Amino acid sequence: MSVTAHVEQLKKKHESLSDAVEAAQRAPGIDDLAIADLKKQKLRIKEEITRLST
């Protein structure tokens, strides 16, 4: 897989996690730790995108 394709795949996963975080924050019974975990995953992906883009 080329670096460009990998970055595009990571961007799609990042967007998917963004949607999941937003949905979890709107849901009344979601655990704060679960939301924090999603946010950490999202941050790791963003850092990977940044690292590969430079």
Side-chain angles (χ1 to χ4, degrees):
M1 178 185 299
S2 72
V3 173
T4 305
H6 186 61
V7 168
E8 288 303 315
Q9 183 181 21
L10 288 172
K11 285 181 180 180
K12 288 178 185 177
K13 188 167 183 175
H14 185 268
E15 184 176 333
S16 175
L17 283 170
S18 290
D19 294 341
V21 168
E22 288 179 23
Q25 288 175 331
R26 286 191 299 263
I30 299 297
D31 183 17
D32 288 340
L33 291 175
I35 294 172
D37 184 51
L38 289 171
K39 288 181 177 183
K40 286 178 186 177
Q41 290 178 41
K42 193 175 140 186
L43 179 59
R44 278 188 234 116
I45 290 172
K46 185 175 181 180
E47 289 171 345
E48 182 73 7
I49 292 168
T50 303
R51 185 181 68 78
L52 292 172
S53 297
T54 56

